[in-house]
């Protein structure tokens, strides 16, 4: 008999050590990041995490029992040269019935809170504040139907108020998920899905699309800004007022002209509420995100870039550079000269609601 | 292929269950085919509620139940003819078998003809395969069934042809029996399709 | 002059050998064809995985464009599942099942060779997308409406649809063939409850194949019609976008059990052999396998918890999904009990089998977490899922298959594999595997979505991605050891006797490698683990375990299955390229089928 008999128990133990180390390291290091599920700031995400914790510990117990028994058996019942065949035990019905029932019991224990939590998350709260969410390749549209305005990629909601996200998609399936606030639901063309949650703490939260939706699935992020209740109303009022019109003869005013001029024709795809060109053209198109408050968004291109004037410049010049394959064309020097672009960037950056820097 | 791969199905070869390989192959194939049609019909049933209001091109406007009932009857009769053919062969009457199996095949062809007529009629009214969900689901579901019937017809005629050359004696009646399993199955599938696509009212 | 003649003869000889392999209908040769082909595809899949890992090693990586990345991870999954793991199981079905049930061959040898060729051609068709820069890039799940011609125009979607459609024929043909083989060709005395556990688990697999693949065929057919012939099955306006998911997962969940059950079977052979004890609770293992298959058809919605079907369906499918953990748990515990009180020899095969139990349990437990619906609202489509699926697919299926390789290698090639190198392979694989996939749980907790080609640097995902990538390369290196070991051992391994492991089942009673006709005399089975029984329990007259000598009949080879398979592939390829190809393929197929039907083969 060959070398396969020799293989010390050291080595077997050696298998567990790295795993355990890895697990411990993991416990220490995960969490606290922008999209971690274990720090929660709304009831919805919290009930998910609260369901997870006991299941996790049960799992740890099962894990330790199984791996422990496995390693123990392998060490204890090793073959030594000359051992006779062990007793040929074929089974033991009692034992087997017992360990059919045991997992069943554990699962029943898991199932009860699972079911109540499902029901909980699906039930519509009283008088929720409703926002429509529409997934596009590859950006998010948020419609405040009652208030009559839209915004893109950054969702604003009030704290301590049940929110109802009424969601669908314009092209392919996406999935809307901000881990610290709520569990995900897909957004599906031709269907409506719902998320209910009550944000508990004002702040800015991260989220992104979680259902593979093509080339730029990776850059389909969004932010959720949770306002103090009072602030939220002010923000809404601001949005309803539309974009501020730039003072005449400023760079921004020039930028607004560029927005409508034939080479750029941004209004062919984008809306800016309240912006009217000299010839009376309005910017109301809905191919791309509504830009009414673009200056106050933290991100550009649904997270492809941070929103800074330089990045905005680069984005308009060549959106395909930072987000290859997205639906917005590039604008060469011929279409928009460097000066015009500077003006355009200045204009867009100025599109902020008055209270934007209150947060 | 079923009847074709006869390597171990030949007479006298011992099998564990006593059922020949070929026959078992056909049974298991039919089980699989059940799921095939099952998926199709399930899909149809899910789309069904959306078929009531399709602007003049829905099932309520197009389906002609008396005509399809007639076709159903034709197909059922073909199964009967088949049974008579098989029992002829089992009694050693090869000529009788040929007559009945030809009849079966002809009834199958009649069914295909009738169904094709219906296709043309629907198409003439404007229902193309891409027109709406009824067109899509109807043509594809019944189309698959027609392909099955077509294969069956070719198979039956093949048996008749072989029989003329004396290659389907009484002792090899199992070969016909297996074709019969297939034929009856296709027939039963039609009954299900007929019930769920044609008979149950669209509301 | 004489030299030239000799050289020519040698060449002729070589052609004869190749022709023999092409036309073979011997289950052992077909098994080897499956084995080497699937191993090659495993490398393709692994190469693609290394591409994926290399792209993700740092944030904002510009190594790959999103197109290429999407093609890589999609093809990685398709190649691994359909071209590497399933066919490697098929290699063992082919080589081992007839031997284990004491048969001379499978029920339909030519159908068997047909299955192999369709697999090869279908696999090449699927992969040839890379040649046209149009490999599928829609995820292995191919969700509509992303996969519709509107959002995935061009050939890439067609490669997905037609590649899988063609491969489906191979799988179903094999499923039919082996189902009949097991039911009908067992040696005298081998009642159902005396069948080796591997045969049992395989039988369940074939039933699953026969019942699950039609749903995929319909889904693919409908998608093909939508993409190429303007039907509206999956259109949001007329049909339903979600219908695809139902059809796909009605197939897809049984599919994951199709992948794992053969490995369960292998483990159930390896653990008893190297514990020198029978499988503990054989009948529980068998019936739990059947239960898994049965329940497997009732849980598909657990992949769709987030599509918003409402609380009631989610509750129902959470329940059924959790139910399925019970029979699986029973198996795990029975394997543990098999080890318990045994006399354990830690060969490489045994190490992989033991590790299988441990690693699969981790994957199973994370599966149960997903089954708790609200947790899935979090974990769905994060790296937590990626961790789960690799723990069950690699830590489960792949570990099982590798155990099978080490275990049956002496039977297949007549030589031992090198155990020292095997040990290295095992430990590097175990460490590399956990290093690659365990951190993905943490990435899941930190909310990293799957299927993203890039990620920002401030989300806290760098460290674990780096670790995973290092692990993946380690795993790749370990896999190279396997191949080196295989090649070296085939060339110069220590010769193996008929029964190198003191094993328990019939395949070990014949020569290593088995002679052409498998058994001189049909074995006569008197017990479960008949061979062990022969060796240790029977004496004198009783030990005479073999039946009477029989006329040995071996089917001749045939090239027709290859022809038909080729026609079928062309038929599919026509949908991708130009319909003329389909016509040619259809003609070849029809002519081939007729030739098949009338080819004398006795
Ligand atoms: C070999 C393949 C395989 C196997 C065997 C399994 C087994 C299981 N899987 Fe897995 N699964 C996949 C392959 C597999 N899965 C793949 C590929 C995907 C992703 C598809 C994609 O989207 O690309 C997936 C995704 C997936 C999802 C969807 C996740 C999502 O996308 O949101 C879910 C949800 O419920 C799930 C659940 C389970 C469960 C409950 C089991 C159970 O069968 C596991 C049972 C086993 C155990 C539980 C361990 C042993 C038991 C004990 C030791 C007893 C005691 C235990 C308890 C009481 C808990 N799986
Ligand atoms: C079926 C089994 C299977 C197997 C065995 C594997 C094996 C591996 N998988 Fe795979 N994987 C899937 C099935 C499988 N995977 C599925 C179903 C998905 C989901 C896809 C989807 O979302 O659609 C997926 C997705 C997936 C992802 C997520 C991609 C994403 O969501 O963006 C990742 C990322 O790390 C990954 C990595 C790996 C790695 C590192 C291995 C390693 O284990 C591979 C190890 C093997 C090798 C490394 C090959 C051998 C060695 C060489 C090639 C030699 C090296 C040579 C040179 C360098 C010259 N896989
Ligand atoms: Cu939208 Cu992913
Ligand atoms: Cu599943």
């Amino acid at each position: 008999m060959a070398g396969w008999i020799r293989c010390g128990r050291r080595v077997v133990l050696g298998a567990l050590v790295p795993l355990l180390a890895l697990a411990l390291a993991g416990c220490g290091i995960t969490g606290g990041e922008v999209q971690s599920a274990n720090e929660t700031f709304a009831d919805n995400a919290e009930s998910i995490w609260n369901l997870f914790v006991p299941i996790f510990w049960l799992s740890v117990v099962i894990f330790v029992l199984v791996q422990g028994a496995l390693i123990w058996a392998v060490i204890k019942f090793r073959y030594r040269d000359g051992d006779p065949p062990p007793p040929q035990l074929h089974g033991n019905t009692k034992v087997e019935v017992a360990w059919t029932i045991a997992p069943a019991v554990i699962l029943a224990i898991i199932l009860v809170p699972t079911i109540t939590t499902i029901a909980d998350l699906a039930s519509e709260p009283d008088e929720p504040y409703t926002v429509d969410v529409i997934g596009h390749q590859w950006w998010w549209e948020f419609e405040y139907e009652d208030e009559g305005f839209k915004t893109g990629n950054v969702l604003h909601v009030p704290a301590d108020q049940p929110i109802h996200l009424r969601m669908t998609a314009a092209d392919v399936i996406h999935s809307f998920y901000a881990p610290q606030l709520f569990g995900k639901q897909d957004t599906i063309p031709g269907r409506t899905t719902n998320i209910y949650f009550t944000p508990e703490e004002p702040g800015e939260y991260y989220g992104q699309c979680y259902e593979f939706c093509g080339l730029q699935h990776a850059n389909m992020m969004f932010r959720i800004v949770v306002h103090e209740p009072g602030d939220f109303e002010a923000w809404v009022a601001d949005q309803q007022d539309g974009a501020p019109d730039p003072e005449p003869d400023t760079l921004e005013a020039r930028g607004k002209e560029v927005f409508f001029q034939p080479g750029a024709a941004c209004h062919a795809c984008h809306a800016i509420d309240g912006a009217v060109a000299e010839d009376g053209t309005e910017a109301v198109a809905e191919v791309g995100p509504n830009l009414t408050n673009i200056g106050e968004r933290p991100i550009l291109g649904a997270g492809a870039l941070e929103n800074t004037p330089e990045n905005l410049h680069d984005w308009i010049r060549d959106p395909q550079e930072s987000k290859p394959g997205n639906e917005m064309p590039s604008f060469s020097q011929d279409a928009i000269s460097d000066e015009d672009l500077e003006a355009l960037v200045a204009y867009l950056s100025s599109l902020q609601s008055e209270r934007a820097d209150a947060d | 292929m079923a009847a074709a791969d006869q390597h171990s199905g030949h007479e006298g070869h011992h099998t564990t269950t006593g059922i020949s390989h070929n026959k078992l192959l056909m049974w298991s194939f039919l089980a699989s085919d059940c799921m095939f049609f099952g998926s199709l019909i399930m899909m149809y049933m899910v789309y069904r509620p959306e078929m009531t209001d399709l602007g003049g091109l829905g099932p309520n406007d197009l389906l002609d139940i008396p005509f399809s009932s007639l076709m159903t009857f034709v197909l059922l009769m073909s199964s009967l003819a088949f049974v008579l053919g098989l029992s002829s062969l089992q009694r050693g009457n090869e000529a009788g078998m040929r007559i009945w199996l030809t009849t079966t095949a002809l009834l199958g062809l009649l069914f295909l003809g009738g169904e094709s007529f219906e296709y043309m009629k629907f198409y003439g009214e404007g229902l193309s395969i891409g027109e709406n969900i009824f067109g899509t689901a109807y043509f594809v579901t019944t189309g698959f069934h027609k392909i099955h019937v077509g294969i069956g017809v070719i198979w039956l005629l093949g048996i008749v042809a072989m029989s003329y050359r004396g290659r389907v004696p009484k002792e090899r009646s199992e070969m016909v029996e297996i074709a019969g399993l297939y034929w009856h199955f296709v027939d039963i599938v039609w009954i299900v399709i007929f019930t769920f696509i044609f008979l149950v009212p669209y509301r | 002059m004489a030299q030239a003649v000799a050289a020519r003869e040698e060449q002729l000889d070589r052609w004869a050998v190749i022709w023999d392999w092409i036309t073979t209908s011997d289950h052992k040769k077909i098994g080897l064809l499956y084995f080497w082909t699937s191993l090659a595809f495993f490398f393709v899949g692994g190469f693609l995985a290394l591409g994926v890992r290399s792209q993700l090693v740092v944030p904002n990586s510009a190594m790959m464009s999103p197109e290429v990345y999407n093609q890589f991870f999609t093809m990685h999954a398709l190649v691994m599942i359909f071209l590497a793991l399933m066919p490697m199981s098929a290699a063992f079905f082919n080589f081992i099942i007839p031997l284990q049930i004491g048969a001379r061959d499978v029920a339909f040898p030519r159908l068997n060779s047909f299955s192999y060729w369709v697999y090869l051609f279908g696999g090449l068709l699927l992969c040839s997308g890379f040649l046209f820069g149009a490999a599928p890039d829609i995820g292995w799940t191919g969700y509509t409406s992303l996969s519709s011609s509107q959002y995935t125009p061009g050939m890439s979607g067609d490669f997905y649809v037609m590649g899988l459609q063609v491969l489906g024929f191979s799988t179903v043909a094999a499923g039919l063939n082996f189902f009949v083989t097991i039911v009908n060709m067992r040696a005298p005395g081998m009642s159902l409850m005396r069948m080796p556990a591997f045969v049992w688990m395989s039988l369940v697999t074939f039933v699953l194949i026969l019942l699950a693949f039609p749903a995929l065929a319909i889904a693919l057919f409908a998608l093909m019609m939508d993409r190429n012939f303007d039907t509206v099955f999956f259109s949001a306006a007329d049909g339903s976008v979600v219908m695809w998911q139902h059809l796909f997962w009605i197939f897809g969940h049984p599919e994951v059990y199709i992948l794992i059950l053969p490995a369960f079977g292998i483990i159930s052979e390896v653990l008893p052999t190297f514990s020198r004890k029978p499988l503990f609770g054989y009948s529980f293992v068998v019936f739990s396998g059947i239960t898994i298959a049965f329940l497997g058809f009732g849980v598909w919605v657990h992949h769709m918890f987030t599509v918003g079907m409402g609380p009631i369906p989610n509750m129902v499918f959470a329940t059924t999904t959790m139910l399925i953990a019970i029979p699986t748990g029973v198996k795990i515990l029975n394997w543990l009990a098999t080890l318990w009180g045994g006399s354990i020899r830690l060969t490489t095969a045994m190490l992989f089998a033991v590790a299988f139990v441990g690693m699969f349990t981790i994957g199973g437990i994370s599966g149960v977490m997903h089954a708790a619906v609200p947790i899935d609202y979090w974990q769905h489509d994060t790296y937590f899922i990626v961790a789960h699926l690799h723990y069950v697919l690699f830590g489960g299926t792949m570990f099982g298959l590798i155990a099978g390789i080490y275990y049956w290698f002496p039977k297949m090639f007549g030589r031992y594999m090198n155990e020292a190198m095997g040990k290295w392979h095992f430990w590097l694989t175990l460490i590399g595997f956990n290093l690659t996939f365990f951190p993905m749980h943490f990435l899941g907790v930190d909310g990293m979505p799957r299927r993203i080609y890039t990620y920002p640097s401030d989300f806290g995902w760098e460290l674990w991605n780096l670790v995973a990538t290092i692990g993946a390369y380690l795993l790749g290196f370990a896999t190279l050891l396997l191949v080196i070991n295989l090649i070296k051992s085939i060339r110069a391994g220590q010769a193996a006797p008929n029964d190198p492991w003191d094993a328990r089942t019939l395949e070990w009673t014949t020569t290593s490698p088995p002679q052409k006709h498998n058994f001189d005399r049909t074995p006569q089975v008197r017990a479960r683990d008949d061979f062990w029984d022969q060796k240790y329990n029977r004496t004198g007259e009783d030990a005479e375990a073999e039946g009477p000598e029989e006329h040995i009949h071996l089917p001749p080879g045939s090239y027709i299955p290859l022809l038909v398979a080729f026609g079928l592939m062309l038929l599919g390829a026509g949908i991708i390229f130009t319909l003329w190809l389909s016509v040619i393929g259809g003609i070849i197929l029809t002519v081939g089928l007729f030739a098949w039907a009338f080819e004398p083969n006795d």
Side-chain angles (χ1 to χ4, degrees), chain B residues 4-5 7-8 10 15-17 19 21-22 24 29 32 35-36 39-40 43 46-47 129-130 132-133 136 144, chain C residues 107-108 110-111 176 183-186 210-211 214-215 218 221 225 230-233 238 240 243 247 553 597:
Chain B
D5 207 338
H7 154 58
S8 334
H10 54 86
T15 69
T16 311
T17 53
I19 304 169
H21 291 348
N22 284 337
L24 192 59
F29 167 77
S32 190
M35 290 302 283
F36 195 82
S39 307
L40 269 175
M43 188 154 65
V46 174
Y47 286 137
I129 195 166
N132 56 33
I133 190 64
T136 293
F144 261 117
Chain C
F108 303 98
R110 287 183 300 168
L111 189 61
L176 289 167
V183 172
N184 244 359
M185 293 181 72
R186 280 164 285 142
L210 294 183
L211 300 184
I218 290 295
F221 185 83
M225 294 297 286
D230 296 329
T231 54
V232 295
F233 281 114
D238 296 297
S240 158
M243 177 60 80
L247 289 171
H553 164 83

Side-chain angles (χ1 to χ4, degrees), chain A:
Chain A
M1 310 229 153
W4 37 258
I5 305 164
R6 266 173 281 114
C7 181
R9 64 187 68 177
R10 276 168 295 119
V11 205
V12 181
L13 281 174
L16 259 202
V17 174
L19 238 172
L20 227 74
L22 216 56
L24 289 177
C27 294
I29 290 173
T30 57
E33 301 295 348
V34 286
Q35 257 165 236
S36 300
N38 57 355
E39 264 194 275
T40 58
F41 298 93
D43 57 342
N44 184 316
E46 208 168 290
S47 52
I48 291 175
W49 191 253
N50 289 344
L51 179 64
F52 177 68
V53 170
I55 294 184
F56 172 75
W57 286 114
L58 262 177
S59 303
V60 170
V61 171
I62 295 170
F63 172 84
V64 169
L65 286 179
V66 172
Q67 314 289 344
L70 193 63
I71 289 169
W72 175 252
V74 168
I75 293 172
K76 176 143 196 280
F77 300 107
R78 291 290 293 287
Y79 170 82
R80 317 250 173 254
D81 262 333
D83 279 358
Q88 301 291 299
L89 190 62
H90 284 275
N92 179 334
T93 312
K94 263 190 218 145
V95 174
E96 288 166 66
V97 169
W99 68 42
T100 311
I101 293 174
V105 171
I106 298 176
L107 290 168
I109 294 173
I110 295 176
L111 197 57
V112 174
T114 298
I115 285 183
T116 53
T117 314
I118 296 174
D120 211 28
L121 294 181
S123 64
E124 184 167 349
D126 293 334
E127 298 184 26
Y129 182 80
T130 304
V131 185
D132 287 300
V133 176
I134 302 142
H136 294 262
Q137 276 179 328
W138 291 271
W139 57 280
W140 295 99
E141 177 175 347
F142 304 112
E143 179 170 10
Y144 296 74
E145 206 180 22
D146 294 339
E147 284 80 4
F149 67 90
K150 288 183 179 176
T151 169
N153 295 335
V154 183
L155 173 68
H156 293 252
V157 290
D160 300 328
Q161 153 76 44
I163 309 293
H164 173 196
L165 302 178
R166 192 166 55 192
M167 313 194 297
T168 188
D171 32 46
V172 305
I173 302 176
H174 307 272
S175 192
F176 196 71
Y177 180 36
Q180 302 186 333
L181 296 179
F182 48 75
K184 70 175 70 63
Q185 288 287 305
D186 297 350
T187 71
I188 303 169
R191 286 189 172 220
T192 307
T193 48
N194 306 289
I195 291 175
Y196 307 103
F197 72 108
T198 308
E200 282 153 5
E201 224 173 281
E204 185 183 314
Y205 300 94
Y206 283 56
Q208 74 189 81
C209 173
Y210 278 75
E211 180 66 59
F212 183 64
C213 53
L215 275 189
Q216 282 299 339
H217 165 60
N219 283 314
M220 193 169 161
M221 305 179 187
F222 61 87
R223 298 289 147 82
I224 296 184
V225 176
V226 176
H227 294 266
E228 301 280 2
D231 286 354
F232 180 70
E233 269 101 59
W235 179 83
V236 167
D238 253 351
Q239 297 304 310
Q240 285 170 324
D241 289 347
D245 225 26
E247 303 289 324
D249 299 325
T250 54
L251 192 61
E252 285 81 6
R254 170 74 193 128
K256 186 177 152 197
E257 274 173 42
V258 175
F259 190 84
F260 289 98
Q261 84 189 14
C266 312
H267 66 287
C269 297
H270 291 286
I272 296 181
D273 298 350
V276 184
E278 313 223 301
D279 61 359
T281 317
E282 291 181 67
V284 290
E286 304 202 320
V287 178
N290 185 307
L291 298 182
T292 306
N293 54 6
I294 180 69
E296 73 183 49
R297 289 181 200 162
I299 47 175
L300 278 182
L305 296 171
E306 225 179 296
N307 189 2
T308 62
E310 300 79 60
N311 283 343
L312 189 54
H313 174 280
D314 294 349
W315 171 264
I316 298 170
R317 188 57 88 210
D318 189 6
Q320 302 299 324
E321 165 73 29
S322 53
K323 193 168 177 180
N326 88 76
E327 302 284 332
M328 173 159 153
S330 301
F331 292 89
S332 65
Q333 306 270 359
D334 301 337
I336 308 177
S337 68
D338 278 342
E339 289 147 31
D340 280 358
L341 187 52
E342 202 184 320
L344 183 59
V345 168
Y347 170 58
L348 292 177
S349 304
S350 75
L351 297 182
Q352 312 200 2
S353 51
E354 275 140 37
R355 303 187 49 94
D357 32 20
D359 298 303

